Short mmCIF file of all heavy atoms in Angstrom, two decimals:
data_model
loop_
_atom_site.label_atom_id
_atom_site.label_comp_id
_atom_site.label_asym_id
_atom_site.label_seq_id
_atom_site.Cartn_x
_atom_site.Cartn_y
_atom_site.Cartn_z
N LEU A 24 1.79 -9.45 -4.32
CA LEU A 24 2.43 -9.01 -3.08
C LEU A 24 3.49 -7.93 -3.36
O LEU A 24 4.29 -7.60 -2.53
CB LEU A 24 3.05 -10.17 -2.29
CG LEU A 24 1.92 -11.16 -1.68
CD1 LEU A 24 2.56 -12.26 -1.05
CD2 LEU A 24 1.05 -10.32 -0.66
N SER A 25 3.62 -7.50 -4.61
CA SER A 25 4.56 -6.44 -4.96
C SER A 25 3.89 -5.11 -4.55
O SER A 25 2.69 -4.92 -4.71
CB SER A 25 4.79 -6.40 -6.41
OG SER A 25 5.43 -5.26 -6.93
N ASP A 26 4.72 -4.16 -4.14
CA ASP A 26 4.17 -2.74 -3.72
C ASP A 26 4.21 -1.84 -4.88
O ASP A 26 3.95 -0.66 -4.62
CB ASP A 26 4.92 -2.28 -2.52
CG ASP A 26 6.34 -1.91 -2.84
OD1 ASP A 26 6.97 -2.52 -3.77
OD2 ASP A 26 6.91 -1.11 -2.07
N ALA A 27 4.47 -2.26 -6.15
CA ALA A 27 4.59 -1.28 -7.22
C ALA A 27 3.24 -0.37 -7.44
O ALA A 27 3.28 0.79 -7.53
CB ALA A 27 4.83 -2.01 -8.50
N PRO A 28 2.06 -1.04 -7.26
CA PRO A 28 0.96 -0.25 -7.35
C PRO A 28 0.71 0.73 -6.16
O PRO A 28 0.21 1.89 -6.31
CB PRO A 28 -0.24 -1.32 -7.39
CG PRO A 28 0.47 -2.47 -7.92
CD PRO A 28 1.74 -2.49 -7.32
N LEU A 29 1.26 0.33 -4.99
CA LEU A 29 1.14 1.27 -3.83
C LEU A 29 2.09 2.43 -4.06
O LEU A 29 1.75 3.58 -3.74
CB LEU A 29 1.50 0.49 -2.60
CG LEU A 29 1.57 1.29 -1.33
CD1 LEU A 29 0.24 1.95 -0.97
CD2 LEU A 29 1.96 0.40 -0.13
N ALA A 30 3.25 2.18 -4.50
CA ALA A 30 4.21 3.17 -4.75
C ALA A 30 3.65 4.31 -5.71
O ALA A 30 3.83 5.55 -5.56
CB ALA A 30 5.48 2.67 -5.27
N THR A 31 3.03 3.80 -6.77
CA THR A 31 2.41 4.73 -7.81
C THR A 31 1.22 5.56 -7.07
O THR A 31 1.03 6.68 -7.34
CB THR A 31 1.84 3.92 -8.95
OG1 THR A 31 2.98 3.23 -9.52
CG2 THR A 31 1.27 4.96 -9.99
N PHE A 32 0.39 4.78 -6.38
CA PHE A 32 -0.76 5.45 -5.77
C PHE A 32 -0.22 6.55 -4.75
O PHE A 32 -0.88 7.63 -4.73
CB PHE A 32 -1.54 4.39 -4.95
CG PHE A 32 -2.86 4.93 -4.38
CD1 PHE A 32 -4.02 4.85 -5.15
CD2 PHE A 32 -3.01 5.48 -3.06
CE1 PHE A 32 -5.29 5.34 -4.70
CE2 PHE A 32 -4.15 6.08 -2.61
CZ PHE A 32 -5.26 5.91 -3.37
N LEU A 33 0.73 6.24 -3.95
CA LEU A 33 1.33 7.33 -3.14
C LEU A 33 1.90 8.51 -3.82
O LEU A 33 1.81 9.68 -3.44
CB LEU A 33 2.30 6.74 -2.13
CG LEU A 33 1.74 5.60 -1.25
CD1 LEU A 33 2.94 4.96 -0.45
CD2 LEU A 33 0.82 6.15 -0.25
N GLU A 34 2.49 8.20 -4.90
CA GLU A 34 3.20 9.27 -5.71
C GLU A 34 1.97 10.13 -6.32
O GLU A 34 2.15 11.42 -6.30
CB GLU A 34 3.91 8.61 -6.88
CG GLU A 34 4.59 9.66 -7.83
CD GLU A 34 5.77 10.40 -7.20
OE1 GLU A 34 6.30 9.81 -6.19
OE2 GLU A 34 6.22 11.40 -7.75
N GLU A 35 0.89 9.58 -6.77
CA GLU A 35 -0.18 10.34 -7.37
C GLU A 35 -1.09 11.01 -6.29
O GLU A 35 -1.85 12.03 -6.67
CB GLU A 35 -1.03 9.42 -8.18
CG GLU A 35 -0.33 8.97 -9.46
CD GLU A 35 -1.30 8.29 -10.41
OE1 GLU A 35 -2.32 7.73 -10.03
OE2 GLU A 35 -0.94 8.15 -11.61
N HIS A 36 -0.98 10.50 -5.14
CA HIS A 36 -1.92 11.04 -3.99
C HIS A 36 -1.01 11.45 -2.80
O HIS A 36 -1.00 10.73 -1.81
CB HIS A 36 -2.94 10.05 -3.67
CG HIS A 36 -3.79 9.61 -4.69
ND1 HIS A 36 -3.49 8.44 -5.48
CD2 HIS A 36 -4.91 10.14 -5.34
CE1 HIS A 36 -4.40 8.33 -6.37
NE2 HIS A 36 -5.27 9.30 -6.39
N PRO A 37 -0.26 12.38 -2.83
CA PRO A 37 0.75 12.85 -1.84
C PRO A 37 0.09 13.22 -0.57
O PRO A 37 0.80 13.22 0.57
CB PRO A 37 1.50 14.07 -2.40
CG PRO A 37 0.52 14.61 -3.44
CD PRO A 37 -0.22 13.42 -4.08
N LYS A 38 -1.29 13.45 -0.44
CA LYS A 38 -1.93 13.79 0.74
C LYS A 38 -1.95 12.45 1.66
O LYS A 38 -2.17 12.77 2.90
CB LYS A 38 -3.37 14.17 0.46
CG LYS A 38 -4.17 14.56 1.73
CD LYS A 38 -5.68 15.04 1.27
CE LYS A 38 -6.39 15.44 2.56
NZ LYS A 38 -7.79 15.93 2.11
N VAL A 39 -1.91 11.37 1.18
CA VAL A 39 -1.98 10.16 1.91
C VAL A 39 -0.72 9.93 2.79
O VAL A 39 0.37 9.99 2.30
CB VAL A 39 -2.05 8.87 0.99
CG1 VAL A 39 -2.06 7.52 1.85
CG2 VAL A 39 -3.44 8.97 0.34
N ARG A 40 -0.97 9.90 4.10
CA ARG A 40 0.19 9.70 5.03
C ARG A 40 0.09 8.49 5.98
O ARG A 40 0.89 8.04 6.60
CB ARG A 40 0.27 10.87 6.01
CG ARG A 40 0.58 12.21 5.27
CD ARG A 40 1.64 12.15 4.27
NE ARG A 40 2.95 11.65 4.89
CZ ARG A 40 3.93 11.22 4.06
NH1 ARG A 40 3.85 11.21 2.85
NH2 ARG A 40 5.00 10.77 4.73
N LYS A 41 -1.15 7.68 5.81
CA LYS A 41 -1.27 6.47 6.59
C LYS A 41 -1.64 5.32 5.67
O LYS A 41 -2.40 5.53 4.81
CB LYS A 41 -2.34 6.72 7.67
CG LYS A 41 -2.54 5.40 8.47
CD LYS A 41 -3.66 5.57 9.61
CE LYS A 41 -3.87 4.35 10.30
NZ LYS A 41 -4.88 4.36 11.36
N ILE A 42 -0.92 4.19 5.91
CA ILE A 42 -1.14 2.95 5.09
C ILE A 42 -1.58 1.91 6.04
O ILE A 42 -0.84 1.54 7.01
CB ILE A 42 0.06 2.61 4.39
CG1 ILE A 42 0.68 3.75 3.54
CG2 ILE A 42 -0.28 1.43 3.42
CD1 ILE A 42 2.05 3.49 3.03
N SER A 43 -2.73 1.29 5.78
CA SER A 43 -3.30 0.18 6.52
C SER A 43 -3.18 -1.04 5.66
O SER A 43 -3.85 -1.11 4.61
CB SER A 43 -4.66 0.40 7.02
OG SER A 43 -4.77 1.48 7.95
N PHE A 44 -2.37 -1.95 6.05
CA PHE A 44 -2.08 -3.18 5.21
C PHE A 44 -3.06 -4.30 5.72
O PHE A 44 -3.03 -4.91 6.84
CB PHE A 44 -0.62 -3.68 5.39
CG PHE A 44 0.28 -2.76 4.79
CD1 PHE A 44 0.99 -1.89 5.53
CD2 PHE A 44 0.52 -2.79 3.45
CE1 PHE A 44 1.96 -1.02 4.86
CE2 PHE A 44 1.46 -2.04 2.79
CZ PHE A 44 2.08 -1.09 3.62
N CYS A 45 -4.05 -4.62 4.78
CA CYS A 45 -5.04 -5.59 4.94
C CYS A 45 -4.87 -6.87 4.25
O CYS A 45 -5.69 -7.48 3.54
CB CYS A 45 -6.41 -5.13 4.62
SG CYS A 45 -6.84 -3.45 5.36
N LEU A 46 -3.54 -7.39 4.29
CA LEU A 46 -3.12 -8.53 3.48
C LEU A 46 -3.60 -9.81 4.21
O LEU A 46 -4.09 -9.86 5.32
CB LEU A 46 -1.64 -8.55 3.35
CG LEU A 46 -1.01 -7.18 2.81
CD1 LEU A 46 0.54 -7.34 2.54
CD2 LEU A 46 -1.80 -6.90 1.42
N ASP A 47 -3.39 -10.96 3.50
CA ASP A 47 -4.02 -12.12 3.85
C ASP A 47 -3.36 -12.67 5.28
O ASP A 47 -2.19 -12.22 5.50
CB ASP A 47 -3.77 -13.22 2.80
CG ASP A 47 -4.78 -13.04 1.61
OD1 ASP A 47 -5.50 -12.01 1.70
OD2 ASP A 47 -4.64 -13.73 0.67
N ASN A 48 -4.07 -13.63 5.87
CA ASN A 48 -3.48 -14.26 7.06
C ASN A 48 -2.63 -15.45 6.88
O ASN A 48 -2.26 -16.07 7.77
CB ASN A 48 -4.76 -14.65 8.01
CG ASN A 48 -4.92 -13.65 9.20
OD1 ASN A 48 -3.98 -12.99 9.51
ND2 ASN A 48 -6.09 -13.59 9.61
N ASP A 49 -2.37 -15.76 5.59
CA ASP A 49 -1.45 -16.90 5.29
C ASP A 49 -0.09 -16.49 5.50
O ASP A 49 0.34 -15.27 5.65
CB ASP A 49 -1.73 -17.54 4.00
CG ASP A 49 -1.52 -16.36 2.84
OD1 ASP A 49 -1.10 -15.39 3.10
OD2 ASP A 49 -2.03 -16.92 1.69
N GLU A 50 0.97 -17.34 5.30
CA GLU A 50 2.30 -17.06 5.62
C GLU A 50 2.94 -16.11 4.58
O GLU A 50 3.53 -15.06 5.01
CB GLU A 50 3.19 -18.33 5.45
CG GLU A 50 4.65 -18.13 5.69
CD GLU A 50 5.44 -19.41 5.73
OE1 GLU A 50 4.88 -20.48 5.62
OE2 GLU A 50 6.76 -19.32 5.90
N PRO A 51 2.50 -16.15 3.23
CA PRO A 51 3.10 -15.08 2.35
C PRO A 51 2.60 -13.71 2.68
O PRO A 51 3.20 -12.75 2.62
CB PRO A 51 2.66 -15.60 0.96
CG PRO A 51 2.43 -17.03 1.15
CD PRO A 51 2.01 -17.27 2.49
N GLY A 52 1.30 -13.76 3.02
CA GLY A 52 0.62 -12.37 3.30
C GLY A 52 1.24 -11.81 4.61
O GLY A 52 1.36 -10.61 4.61
#
């Protein structure tokens, strides 16, 4: 549930401007 991979992905792909979060339906998600 850390966003470190997301931060890296956005840094490497600056064209991306929309993020859709498809995380789990449990409480942590």
Side-chain angles (χ1 to χ4, degrees):
L24 290 176
S25 164
D26 68 334
L29 176 57
T31 301
F32 188 90
L33 296 173
E34 180 74 11
E35 291 190 340
H36 304 93
K38 182 178 179 179
V39 173
R40 299 312 306 165
K41 179 178 180 181
I42 309 170
S43 296
F44 291 98
C45 307
L46 307 185
D47 290 359
N48 257 332
D49 57 10
E50 183 177 356

